[in-house]
Short mmCIF file of all heavy atoms in Angstrom, two decimals:
data_model
loop_
_atom_site.label_atom_id
_atom_site.label_comp_id
_atom_site.label_asym_id
_atom_site.label_seq_id
_atom_site.Cartn_x
_atom_site.Cartn_y
_atom_site.Cartn_z
N MET A 1 -38.50 84.43 23.17
CA MET A 1 -38.37 84.67 21.75
C MET A 1 -36.95 84.38 21.34
O MET A 1 -36.01 84.83 21.97
CB MET A 1 -38.75 86.11 21.41
CG MET A 1 -38.65 86.42 19.96
SD MET A 1 -39.30 88.06 19.50
CE MET A 1 -37.98 89.10 20.05
N THR A 2 -36.79 83.63 20.24
CA THR A 2 -35.46 83.37 19.73
C THR A 2 -35.17 84.33 18.57
O THR A 2 -36.05 85.05 18.13
CB THR A 2 -35.36 81.91 19.20
OG1 THR A 2 -36.25 81.78 18.08
CG2 THR A 2 -35.70 80.92 20.28
N GLU A 3 -33.95 84.32 18.09
CA GLU A 3 -33.57 85.23 17.00
C GLU A 3 -34.37 84.99 15.74
O GLU A 3 -34.59 85.90 14.96
CB GLU A 3 -32.09 85.10 16.70
CG GLU A 3 -31.24 85.90 17.66
CD GLU A 3 -29.79 85.92 17.22
OE1 GLU A 3 -29.52 86.06 16.00
OE2 GLU A 3 -28.92 85.78 18.08
N SER A 4 -34.79 83.75 15.50
CA SER A 4 -35.48 83.44 14.26
C SER A 4 -36.97 83.84 14.28
O SER A 4 -37.60 83.86 13.25
CB SER A 4 -35.37 81.94 13.96
OG SER A 4 -36.00 81.21 14.97
N GLU A 5 -37.49 84.16 15.45
CA GLU A 5 -38.89 84.55 15.55
C GLU A 5 -39.07 86.02 15.26
O GLU A 5 -38.27 86.84 15.70
CB GLU A 5 -39.44 84.26 16.97
CG GLU A 5 -39.51 82.79 17.30
CD GLU A 5 -39.97 82.55 18.71
OE1 GLU A 5 -40.20 83.53 19.44
OE2 GLU A 5 -40.09 81.38 19.11
N PRO A 6 -40.10 86.38 14.52
CA PRO A 6 -40.34 87.80 14.27
C PRO A 6 -40.73 88.53 15.57
O PRO A 6 -41.33 87.95 16.44
CB PRO A 6 -41.50 87.83 13.28
CG PRO A 6 -42.13 86.49 13.37
CD PRO A 6 -41.08 85.54 13.87
N SER A 7 -40.35 89.79 15.66
CA SER A 7 -40.60 90.55 16.89
C SER A 7 -42.05 91.02 17.00
O SER A 7 -42.51 91.33 18.08
CB SER A 7 -39.66 91.76 16.98
OG SER A 7 -39.88 92.60 15.86
N ASN A 8 -42.76 91.09 15.88
CA ASN A 8 -44.19 91.45 15.95
C ASN A 8 -44.92 90.83 14.78
O ASN A 8 -44.32 90.25 13.88
CB ASN A 8 -44.38 92.96 16.00
CG ASN A 8 -43.93 93.66 14.74
OD1 ASN A 8 -44.08 93.14 13.64
ND2 ASN A 8 -43.37 94.85 14.90
N SER A 9 -46.24 90.97 14.76
CA SER A 9 -47.06 90.26 13.79
C SER A 9 -46.90 90.79 12.36
O SER A 9 -47.35 90.15 11.42
CB SER A 9 -48.51 90.32 14.21
OG SER A 9 -48.97 91.65 14.20
N ILE A 10 -46.31 91.96 12.19
CA ILE A 10 -46.18 92.52 10.83
C ILE A 10 -45.27 91.65 9.96
O ILE A 10 -45.34 91.66 8.76
CB ILE A 10 -45.70 93.96 10.90
CG1 ILE A 10 -46.20 94.75 9.71
CG2 ILE A 10 -44.18 94.06 10.96
CD1 ILE A 10 -46.13 96.22 9.89
N CYS A 11 -44.43 90.84 10.59
CA CYS A 11 -43.46 90.01 9.86
C CYS A 11 -43.96 88.59 9.62
O CYS A 11 -43.25 87.81 9.01
CB CYS A 11 -42.15 89.95 10.64
SG CYS A 11 -41.33 91.52 10.81
N ARG A 12 -45.12 88.26 10.12
CA ARG A 12 -45.57 86.86 9.99
C ARG A 12 -45.87 86.52 8.52
O ARG A 12 -46.16 87.40 7.71
CB ARG A 12 -46.80 86.59 10.84
CG ARG A 12 -48.03 87.28 10.37
CD ARG A 12 -49.20 87.02 11.28
NE ARG A 12 -50.32 87.78 10.74
CZ ARG A 12 -51.40 88.02 11.38
NH1 ARG A 12 -51.54 87.61 12.62
NH2 ARG A 12 -52.37 88.71 10.83
N ASN A 13 -45.78 85.26 8.20
CA ASN A 13 -46.01 84.78 6.84
C ASN A 13 -47.46 84.36 6.71
O ASN A 13 -47.81 83.25 7.09
CB ASN A 13 -45.07 83.62 6.52
CG ASN A 13 -43.64 84.08 6.45
OD1 ASN A 13 -43.36 85.14 5.97
ND2 ASN A 13 -42.73 83.26 6.95
N ASN A 14 -48.27 85.21 6.15
CA ASN A 14 -49.69 84.90 5.94
C ASN A 14 -49.85 84.17 4.63
O ASN A 14 -49.10 84.41 3.67
CB ASN A 14 -50.52 86.17 5.85
CG ASN A 14 -50.73 86.83 7.19
OD1 ASN A 14 -50.38 86.28 8.22
ND2 ASN A 14 -51.32 87.99 7.16
N THR A 15 -50.87 83.32 4.55
CA THR A 15 -51.25 82.79 3.25
C THR A 15 -51.98 83.91 2.51
O THR A 15 -52.47 84.86 3.14
CB THR A 15 -52.20 81.58 3.41
OG1 THR A 15 -53.42 82.04 3.99
CG2 THR A 15 -51.57 80.48 4.25
N PRO A 16 -52.13 83.80 1.22
CA PRO A 16 -52.88 84.82 0.49
C PRO A 16 -54.32 85.00 1.01
O PRO A 16 -54.83 86.13 1.09
CB PRO A 16 -52.88 84.34 -0.97
CG PRO A 16 -51.64 83.51 -1.07
CD PRO A 16 -51.52 82.85 0.29
N MET A 17 -54.95 83.88 1.40
CA MET A 17 -56.31 83.98 1.90
C MET A 17 -56.37 84.72 3.24
O MET A 17 -57.28 85.52 3.47
CB MET A 17 -56.91 82.58 2.08
CG MET A 17 -57.23 81.87 0.76
SD MET A 17 -55.83 81.40 -0.25
CE MET A 17 -55.16 79.99 0.58
N GLU A 18 -55.38 84.50 4.11
CA GLU A 18 -55.32 85.23 5.38
C GLU A 18 -55.05 86.70 5.11
O GLU A 18 -55.62 87.56 5.79
CB GLU A 18 -54.22 84.65 6.27
CG GLU A 18 -54.50 83.27 6.80
CD GLU A 18 -53.32 82.65 7.49
OE1 GLU A 18 -52.17 82.90 7.08
OE2 GLU A 18 -53.55 81.92 8.46
N PHE A 19 -54.22 87.01 4.16
CA PHE A 19 -53.93 88.42 3.84
C PHE A 19 -55.19 89.11 3.43
O PHE A 19 -55.47 90.24 3.88
CB PHE A 19 -52.87 88.50 2.76
CG PHE A 19 -52.50 89.93 2.43
CD1 PHE A 19 -51.55 90.60 3.16
CD2 PHE A 19 -53.15 90.59 1.39
CE1 PHE A 19 -51.23 91.91 2.89
CE2 PHE A 19 -52.82 91.91 1.11
CZ PHE A 19 -51.87 92.56 1.84
N VAL A 20 -55.97 88.50 2.51
CA VAL A 20 -57.21 89.13 2.07
C VAL A 20 -58.18 89.32 3.24
O VAL A 20 -58.80 90.38 3.39
CB VAL A 20 -57.87 88.31 0.93
CG1 VAL A 20 -59.27 88.85 0.64
CG2 VAL A 20 -57.02 88.37 -0.33
N ARG A 21 -58.31 88.30 4.08
CA ARG A 21 -59.21 88.40 5.23
C ARG A 21 -58.77 89.53 6.18
O ARG A 21 -59.59 90.31 6.62
CB ARG A 21 -59.24 87.07 5.99
CG ARG A 21 -60.24 87.06 7.13
CD ARG A 21 -60.13 85.81 7.99
NE ARG A 21 -58.84 85.79 8.64
CZ ARG A 21 -58.02 84.75 8.70
NH1 ARG A 21 -58.35 83.63 8.10
NH2 ARG A 21 -56.88 84.82 9.33
N ASP A 22 -57.47 89.60 6.44
CA ASP A 22 -56.95 90.59 7.40
C ASP A 22 -56.90 92.02 6.85
O ASP A 22 -56.95 92.95 7.61
CB ASP A 22 -55.56 90.19 7.86
CG ASP A 22 -55.53 88.89 8.66
OD1 ASP A 22 -56.62 88.45 9.09
OD2 ASP A 22 -54.44 88.32 8.83
N HIS A 23 -56.83 92.14 5.53
CA HIS A 23 -56.62 93.48 4.93
C HIS A 23 -57.66 93.78 3.84
O HIS A 23 -57.39 94.52 2.92
CB HIS A 23 -55.22 93.56 4.34
CG HIS A 23 -54.14 93.30 5.33
ND1 HIS A 23 -53.84 94.16 6.37
CD2 HIS A 23 -53.31 92.24 5.48
CE1 HIS A 23 -52.87 93.65 7.10
NE2 HIS A 23 -52.53 92.48 6.58
N LYS A 24 -58.83 93.20 4.00
CA LYS A 24 -59.89 93.38 2.99
C LYS A 24 -60.24 94.85 2.80
O LYS A 24 -60.46 95.31 1.68
CB LYS A 24 -61.11 92.59 3.36
CG LYS A 24 -62.16 92.54 2.27
CD LYS A 24 -63.25 91.56 2.58
CE LYS A 24 -64.18 91.45 1.39
NZ LYS A 24 -65.19 90.43 1.60
N ASP A 25 -60.27 95.62 3.88
CA ASP A 25 -60.61 97.05 3.77
C ASP A 25 -59.60 97.81 2.92
O ASP A 25 -60.00 98.64 2.10
CB ASP A 25 -60.75 97.68 5.16
CG ASP A 25 -59.52 97.50 6.03
OD1 ASP A 25 -58.76 96.52 5.84
OD2 ASP A 25 -59.29 98.35 6.92
N ILE A 26 -58.35 97.48 3.04
CA ILE A 26 -57.30 98.15 2.26
C ILE A 26 -57.45 97.77 0.77
O ILE A 26 -57.37 98.61 -0.11
CB ILE A 26 -55.89 97.77 2.76
CG1 ILE A 26 -55.69 98.35 4.18
CG2 ILE A 26 -54.80 98.28 1.82
CD1 ILE A 26 -54.46 97.85 4.87
N LEU A 27 -57.67 96.46 0.52
CA LEU A 27 -57.81 96.01 -0.86
C LEU A 27 -59.04 96.63 -1.52
O LEU A 27 -58.99 97.03 -2.68
CB LEU A 27 -57.86 94.49 -0.91
CG LEU A 27 -56.53 93.77 -0.58
CD1 LEU A 27 -56.79 92.29 -0.35
CD2 LEU A 27 -55.52 94.01 -1.68
N GLU A 28 -60.12 96.69 -0.78
CA GLU A 28 -61.36 97.31 -1.32
C GLU A 28 -61.16 98.78 -1.62
O GLU A 28 -61.63 99.29 -2.63
CB GLU A 28 -62.53 97.09 -0.36
CG GLU A 28 -63.01 95.67 -0.35
CD GLU A 28 -64.10 95.42 0.70
OE1 GLU A 28 -64.28 96.23 1.64
OE2 GLU A 28 -64.79 94.39 0.56
N ASN A 29 -60.42 99.46 -0.74
CA ASN A 29 -60.14 100.88 -0.97
C ASN A 29 -59.27 101.09 -2.22
O ASN A 29 -59.53 101.97 -3.03
CB ASN A 29 -59.45 101.49 0.26
CG ASN A 29 -59.34 102.99 0.18
OD1 ASN A 29 -60.25 103.67 -0.30
ND2 ASN A 29 -58.21 103.52 0.61
N LEU A 30 -58.24 100.23 -2.38
CA LEU A 30 -57.42 100.29 -3.58
C LEU A 30 -58.24 99.98 -4.83
O LEU A 30 -58.05 100.62 -5.88
CB LEU A 30 -56.25 99.31 -3.50
CG LEU A 30 -55.08 99.74 -2.66
CD1 LEU A 30 -54.10 98.59 -2.51
CD2 LEU A 30 -54.39 100.94 -3.27
N ALA A 31 -59.14 99.00 -4.74
CA ALA A 31 -59.98 98.62 -5.88
C ALA A 31 -60.88 99.78 -6.32
O ALA A 31 -61.23 99.88 -7.49
CB ALA A 31 -60.81 97.40 -5.55
N LYS A 32 -61.25 100.65 -5.40
CA LYS A 32 -62.13 101.78 -5.72
C LYS A 32 -61.38 103.06 -6.04
O LYS A 32 -61.78 103.79 -6.93
CB LYS A 32 -63.07 102.06 -4.53
CG LYS A 32 -64.10 101.00 -4.30
CD LYS A 32 -64.95 101.35 -3.09
CE LYS A 32 -65.90 100.21 -2.76
NZ LYS A 32 -66.63 100.47 -1.51
N HIS A 33 -60.28 103.32 -5.33
CA HIS A 33 -59.66 104.65 -5.40
C HIS A 33 -58.21 104.63 -5.84
O HIS A 33 -57.60 105.70 -5.93
CB HIS A 33 -59.74 105.32 -4.02
CG HIS A 33 -61.14 105.38 -3.48
ND1 HIS A 33 -62.12 106.16 -4.04
CD2 HIS A 33 -61.72 104.73 -2.44
CE1 HIS A 33 -63.25 106.02 -3.35
NE2 HIS A 33 -63.04 105.15 -2.39
N GLY A 34 -57.62 103.49 -6.09
CA GLY A 34 -56.22 103.43 -6.48
C GLY A 34 -56.03 103.81 -7.93
O GLY A 34 -56.97 104.09 -8.66
N SER A 35 -54.76 103.79 -8.32
CA SER A 35 -54.43 104.00 -9.74
C SER A 35 -55.03 102.83 -10.54
O SER A 35 -55.40 101.80 -9.95
CB SER A 35 -52.93 104.07 -9.93
OG SER A 35 -52.34 102.78 -9.68
N PRO A 36 -55.10 102.95 -11.85
CA PRO A 36 -55.67 101.83 -12.62
C PRO A 36 -54.97 100.50 -12.37
O PRO A 36 -55.66 99.46 -12.25
CB PRO A 36 -55.47 102.31 -14.08
CG PRO A 36 -55.53 103.78 -13.98
CD PRO A 36 -54.84 104.13 -12.68
N ILE A 37 -53.66 100.47 -12.23
CA ILE A 37 -52.97 99.20 -11.97
C ILE A 37 -53.27 98.70 -10.58
O ILE A 37 -53.45 97.50 -10.35
CB ILE A 37 -51.45 99.30 -12.25
CG1 ILE A 37 -50.81 97.93 -12.24
CG2 ILE A 37 -50.76 100.23 -11.28
CD1 ILE A 37 -51.18 97.04 -13.39
N GLU A 38 -53.35 99.61 -9.59
CA GLU A 38 -53.69 99.19 -8.23
C GLU A 38 -55.13 98.64 -8.18
O GLU A 38 -55.37 97.65 -7.49
CB GLU A 38 -53.56 100.37 -7.26
CG GLU A 38 -52.14 100.79 -7.01
CD GLU A 38 -52.02 102.11 -6.25
OE1 GLU A 38 -52.93 102.96 -6.36
OE2 GLU A 38 -51.01 102.28 -5.55
N GLN A 39 -56.03 99.29 -8.88
CA GLN A 39 -57.40 98.80 -8.92
C GLN A 39 -57.46 97.39 -9.51
O GLN A 39 -58.12 96.51 -8.93
CB GLN A 39 -58.27 99.75 -9.77
CG GLN A 39 -58.51 101.09 -9.13
CD GLN A 39 -59.32 102.01 -10.02
OE1 GLN A 39 -59.79 101.61 -11.10
NE2 GLN A 39 -59.52 103.23 -9.59
N ALA A 40 -56.79 97.20 -10.62
CA ALA A 40 -56.81 95.89 -11.26
C ALA A 40 -56.18 94.82 -10.39
O ALA A 40 -56.74 93.73 -10.20
CB ALA A 40 -56.07 95.97 -12.60
N MET A 41 -55.04 95.12 -9.78
CA MET A 41 -54.35 94.15 -8.94
C MET A 41 -55.16 93.80 -7.70
O MET A 41 -55.27 92.63 -7.34
CB MET A 41 -52.96 94.68 -8.53
CG MET A 41 -52.01 94.73 -9.71
SD MET A 41 -50.44 95.55 -9.35
CE MET A 41 -49.77 94.44 -8.12
N ALA A 42 -55.77 94.80 -7.06
CA ALA A 42 -56.58 94.53 -5.87
C ALA A 42 -57.79 93.68 -6.20
O ALA A 42 -58.12 92.73 -5.48
CB ALA A 42 -56.99 95.86 -5.23
N LYS A 43 -58.46 93.99 -7.30
CA LYS A 43 -59.64 93.23 -7.71
C LYS A 43 -59.30 91.78 -7.99
O LYS A 43 -60.00 90.87 -7.55
CB LYS A 43 -60.31 93.88 -8.93
CG LYS A 43 -61.03 95.18 -8.61
CD LYS A 43 -61.55 95.83 -9.85
CE LYS A 43 -62.15 97.18 -9.57
NZ LYS A 43 -62.59 97.88 -10.78
N VAL A 44 -58.24 91.58 -8.74
CA VAL A 44 -57.82 90.22 -9.08
C VAL A 44 -57.40 89.45 -7.84
O VAL A 44 -57.75 88.29 -7.65
CB VAL A 44 -56.71 90.23 -10.15
CG1 VAL A 44 -56.08 88.86 -10.32
CG2 VAL A 44 -57.26 90.72 -11.47
N TYR A 45 -56.66 90.10 -6.96
CA TYR A 45 -56.18 89.43 -5.74
C TYR A 45 -57.38 88.97 -4.91
O TYR A 45 -57.40 87.86 -4.41
CB TYR A 45 -55.27 90.37 -4.94
CG TYR A 45 -54.34 89.67 -4.01
CD1 TYR A 45 -53.13 89.20 -4.46
CD2 TYR A 45 -54.68 89.44 -2.67
CE1 TYR A 45 -52.25 88.53 -3.61
CE2 TYR A 45 -53.82 88.79 -1.83
CZ TYR A 45 -52.62 88.33 -2.30
OH TYR A 45 -51.76 87.68 -1.44
N MET A 46 -58.38 89.86 -4.76
CA MET A 46 -59.57 89.51 -3.99
C MET A 46 -60.35 88.41 -4.69
O MET A 46 -60.91 87.52 -4.03
CB MET A 46 -60.44 90.72 -3.73
CG MET A 46 -59.84 91.67 -2.73
SD MET A 46 -60.96 92.99 -2.18
CE MET A 46 -61.22 93.89 -3.68
N GLU A 47 -60.42 88.42 -6.02
CA GLU A 47 -61.13 87.36 -6.75
C GLU A 47 -60.43 86.02 -6.59
O GLU A 47 -61.08 85.00 -6.40
CB GLU A 47 -61.22 87.71 -8.22
CG GLU A 47 -62.22 88.78 -8.55
CD GLU A 47 -62.25 89.14 -10.01
OE1 GLU A 47 -61.73 88.38 -10.84
OE2 GLU A 47 -62.77 90.24 -10.32
N LEU A 48 -59.12 86.02 -6.64
CA LEU A 48 -58.36 84.77 -6.55
C LEU A 48 -58.34 84.21 -5.13
O LEU A 48 -58.46 82.99 -4.93
CB LEU A 48 -56.93 84.98 -6.99
CG LEU A 48 -56.68 85.16 -8.49
CD1 LEU A 48 -55.22 85.54 -8.74
CD2 LEU A 48 -57.05 83.89 -9.24
N TYR A 49 -58.16 85.07 -4.14
CA TYR A 49 -57.91 84.60 -2.78
C TYR A 49 -58.96 85.02 -1.77
O TYR A 49 -58.86 84.66 -0.60
CB TYR A 49 -56.53 85.12 -2.30
CG TYR A 49 -55.42 84.68 -3.21
CD1 TYR A 49 -54.69 85.60 -3.92
CD2 TYR A 49 -55.08 83.35 -3.31
CE1 TYR A 49 -53.64 85.21 -4.74
CE2 TYR A 49 -54.04 82.94 -4.13
CZ TYR A 49 -53.32 83.89 -4.83
OH TYR A 49 -52.30 83.48 -5.64
N GLY A 50 -59.97 85.74 -2.19
CA GLY A 50 -60.98 86.24 -1.27
C GLY A 50 -62.01 85.19 -0.89
O GLY A 50 -62.00 84.05 -1.37
N ASP A 51 -62.93 85.63 -0.06
CA ASP A 51 -64.01 84.79 0.42
C ASP A 51 -64.97 84.51 -0.72
O ASP A 51 -65.57 85.45 -1.26
CB ASP A 51 -64.71 85.48 1.58
CG ASP A 51 -65.84 84.63 2.15
OD1 ASP A 51 -65.88 83.43 1.87
OD2 ASP A 51 -66.65 85.19 2.90
N SER A 52 -65.14 83.28 -1.09
CA SER A 52 -66.00 82.94 -2.23
C SER A 52 -67.48 82.90 -1.84
O SER A 52 -68.31 82.66 -2.70
CB SER A 52 -65.59 81.58 -2.80
OG SER A 52 -65.70 80.59 -1.83
N SER A 53 -67.80 83.14 -0.58
CA SER A 53 -69.20 83.05 -0.13
C SER A 53 -69.99 84.29 -0.48
O SER A 53 -71.18 84.32 -0.31
CB SER A 53 -69.27 82.76 1.37
OG SER A 53 -68.77 83.90 2.08
N GLY A 54 -69.31 85.36 -0.88
CA GLY A 54 -70.12 86.53 -1.16
C GLY A 54 -69.35 87.50 -1.92
O GLY A 54 -69.55 88.50 -2.39
#
């Protein structure tokens, strides 16, 4: 590992689609139980970058 490499996966640069795939459970929880702004942001993020198959 060099200095420029992240030490663990939490620092990796995901695309928005990868983020939704990897953290869909968190986004769905925010969309249901978050504050009004969290609900709106989670829903829009999933609509924009989520799986369009379902």
Side-chain angles (χ1 to χ4, degrees):
M1 180 172 77
T2 65
E3 279 189 41
S4 63
E5 293 177 359
S7 60
N8 65 36
S9 64
I10 209 162
C11 297
R12 70 181 178 196
N13 293 321
N14 286 353
T15 66
M17 289 68 75
E18 290 171 326
F19 182 85
V20 170
R21 184 187 66 228
D22 295 345
H23 303 290
K24 190 171 185 174
D25 55 333
I26 294 170
L27 290 167
E28 287 175 341
N29 190 38
L30 281 172
K32 291 179 185 174
H33 306 292
S35 68
I37 191 70
E38 289 170 332
Q39 290 178 5
M41 291 173 64
K43 288 175 185 176
V44 168
Y45 203 85
M46 287 189 296
E47 286 177 18
L48 287 173
Y49 302 115
D51 182 14
S52 60
S53 67

